[in-house]
Amino acid sequence: MRSTDILARLYDGLSRRPRPEDVAELILELLDGRLNARERVALETAARGSLRRNAWGFSSMLADFRRADAITAKVDRAKQLFASASSFAITHDECGDPEKVEAFLRHVAPEIRASFGEVDWKRDRLDRRGRRAEGLELSRRKYNRKFRLLRRMEQRLASLVRVRRQVELTMIGKSSLASRVPRDRFLANESTACFVAYYASRATLRSEFTNGPQQRAFDDISAMLFARCERDRDTDWLVVAHVLPRPEVLVRVHDEDKLALLAAWHGVLTETAELLRVTWEKSRFRRDTMIVKRGDDSSTWNQLAGAWNKARDGWIALLHVLGMEDVLDAMCVGKVLRLMAADVAYWHRASGGRLEPDTAVWAALPPPWEVIGGEEWCTRADVEETCRAVGVDPIAKGWIAPRPKGEPVPFRPTPELVHGVTVGHPGLALMLRRAGWFSGQVERLRPLGA
């Protein structure tokens, strides 16, 4: 495979969930002949588990995030009903692009004297007199059919926008701003591309059902690829900062690019705060425990919490590197705690663990969405005082400063998971998932001979 094709595949993986083993396989092919013995051994450790070398050749884990369904069928129906649709070019692939779909609706709506955003069935639909006044020679049945389709397409468009927005925040919660890396800058330097692609694949690993910490993204292969970036004079540190916004990376970024990143992270905080508020107001979470109860939308909340905390970490790191720590003296937004499954919480207690200490800090501080919205006041001194009151180190735990740099962890093969539980074989994982195991919905097995 040509190097340009490999780089293109690595770039496409930034907005998906490729297995680190498969990314390592591509990097080995890309850097063939330019790796020293230690680097090759490190990559081979991961690549031996790639699907290309795998005896069964597949994984039960999806290699992408959940995407919104395109509005293809309704666009095709509109092309049949609206004569003006023939003069607007929209492909099936573009039916998943909200901007293109909105432009299509704005183009065809005037055919029945409708306007985009004004398709309420009771308020905006024309009666016989109204249709005559507008010069529409359509029967009530044909007019209603077209109007109803427009209304339903606008509803689907709103759903498409909402899901795409949530998918983007989910990606940010996993791999920072990897999905926003400029393509031309990624393809321009192989050292940069290899580190960013591999680290992003590690960052998007699914959470495991455990009462201990999750796998950390920065493993010994990430460290090796990062060292190659440090030796390469042409490394694009802005691209690296999109996935690893740590001080040791940000100091190498030009000041104007740092400010652009700061604005991007602040935008993510603002957007996520709005959605967190909506989810919070519709829920009955207990801030003092953050343990899931029946009816809680834990998936949405935890995705938003991940995006918020990732954006907050990048925002605080940039403030420190830019020498703007005094911003935190006036406004220091706190973390957002994820919800924990009740069985995992029980497992923690049964094994001698206790509630995450950060929970008490989160419960005592004003909701972060109210702080960033200017409704509540929370300063760095407030956060420090609250942390010390419950025995939490505000610096070591990342409440008021960038998180301390940790040591690389050893590479561990990507597990096959069924609702977070590790299963040894992808075929077995598929079977257990279809049977409902570990989901709380498995049917009771009948005794033999029954």
Side-chain angles (χ1 to χ4, degrees), residues 25 88 97 106 119-120 137 150 157 167 176 187 192 199 205 228 239 252 340 355 362 373 396 404:
E25 181 77 65
F88 189 96
D97 181 351
R106 290 184 181 278
V119 286
D120 183 87
E137 298 297 331
L150 286 180
L157 176 60
V167 168
S176 297
L187 301 178
T192 304
Y199 183 79
L205 288 176
R228 287 181 62 87
V239 173
R252 308 173 194 240
M340 180 184 291
L355 195 66
W362 143 260

Side-chain angles (χ1 to χ4, degrees), residues 198 202 205 213-224 406-412:
Y198 180 80
R202 286 280 302 172
L205 288 176
Q214 298 292 330
Q215 284 202 58
R216 285 177 47 209
F218 199 82
D219 63 3
D220 45 13
I221 299 177
S222 299
M224 178 272 290
E407 292 299 317
V409 298
F411 169 80
R412 189 154 65 91

Side-chain angles (χ1 to χ4, degrees), residues 74 94 129 131 164 175 204 261 273 330 350 379 384 423 437:
K74 291 199 180 309
E94 292 172 331
R129 182 179 300 176
R131 294 196 299 274
R164 282 173 64 99
S175 57
T204 55
L261 277 177
T379 66
E384 287 179 325
V423 178
W437 283 87

Side-chain angles (χ1 to χ4, degrees), residues 7 24 43 50 52 59 82 86 98 148 179 187 203 206 221 231-232 273 299 308 324 332 340 350 366 376 395 398 404:
L7 286 169
L43 286 167
S50 69
R52 185 186 300 179
S59 169
F82 289 85
S86 61
R148 186 182 297 111
S179 60
L187 301 178
R206 290 165 175 81
I221 299 177
R231 296 194 300 269
D232 189 339
S299 297
W308 172 273
M324 299 170 60
C332 188
M340 180 184 291
E376 290 284 351
I395 296 178

Side-chain angles (χ1 to χ4, degrees), residues 96-115:
D97 181 351
E99 292 184 2
K100 192 72 174 180
V101 173
E102 180 179 333
F104 175 78
L105 291 176
R106 290 184 181 278
H107 178 78
V108 300
E111 183 174 318
I112 59 169
R113 310 303 186 264
S115 299

Side-chain angles (χ1 to χ4, degrees), residues 167-204:
V167 168
E168 183 181 15
L169 291 176
T170 300
M171 290 191 290
I172 289 173
K174 288 290 186 180
S175 57
S176 297
L177 297 176
S179 60
R180 299 188 185 182
V181 168
R183 182 184 179 89
D184 56 338
R185 298 187 70 148
F186 178 90
L187 301 178
N189 181 261
E190 291 182 351
S191 299
T192 304
C194 290
F195 170 76
V196 169
Y198 180 80
Y199 183 79
S201 71
R202 286 280 302 172
T204 55

